[in-house]
Amino acid sequence: MGVSRNNSFIISGSKLLPWKENHYNFQLSRKHHQIIKGTIYTQNQTPCTGATVLVTQIDDEKQERILLGFAVTDEAGCYLFSLEANPKMKYELTVFAPIISK
């Protein structure tokens, strides 16, 4: 049986400003099937509903970037991706604050 490993990082809500792209790079483990999930919070630490999270695959050798998909956070600020990862590639999450906030 394989060992599951969780890695996480925290992004301050003050970094998620409207109309600004926020990029976070990471490399996935050697397992091919990956689940990427997280929660986006506002500056006052409440869940951020309606933020958009893009996941992009980066091939440094070919200087290529491929958008794999996107998710919009739910009312709890949560997003989730499931993908077949290539351990030779890098991945990037881009987070956009919601256009309309309450």
Side-chain angles (χ1 to χ4, degrees), residues 5-59:
R5 191 175 88 188
N6 272 338
N7 290 317
S8 63
F9 56 94
I10 296 174
I11 303 160
S12 170
S14 62
K15 301 275 189 217
L16 297 178
L17 302 173
W19 308 108
K20 181 177 181 255
E21 290 184 30
N22 300 275
H23 297 271
Y24 307 96
N25 296 303
F26 58 96
Q27 191 142 6
L28 298 171
S29 70
R30 298 218 179 266
K31 293 191 309 185
H32 290 287
H33 184 76
Q34 300 285 325
I35 301 286
I36 301 169
K37 64 180 182 173
T39 307
I40 307 292
Y41 294 96
T42 65
Q43 282 180 297
N44 59 1
Q45 301 305 309
T46 60
C48 185
T49 303
T52 303
V53 183
L54 308 179
V55 63
T56 304
Q57 180 176 280
I58 301 167
D59 183 337

Side-chain angles (χ1 to χ4, degrees), residues 26 54-58 65-69 90-94:
F26 58 96
L54 308 179
V55 63
T56 304
Q57 180 176 280
I58 301 167
R65 300 170 61 84
I66 300 169
L67 177 63
L68 299 179
K90 291 182 182 175
Y91 294 87
E92 179 179 78
L93 289 183
T94 305

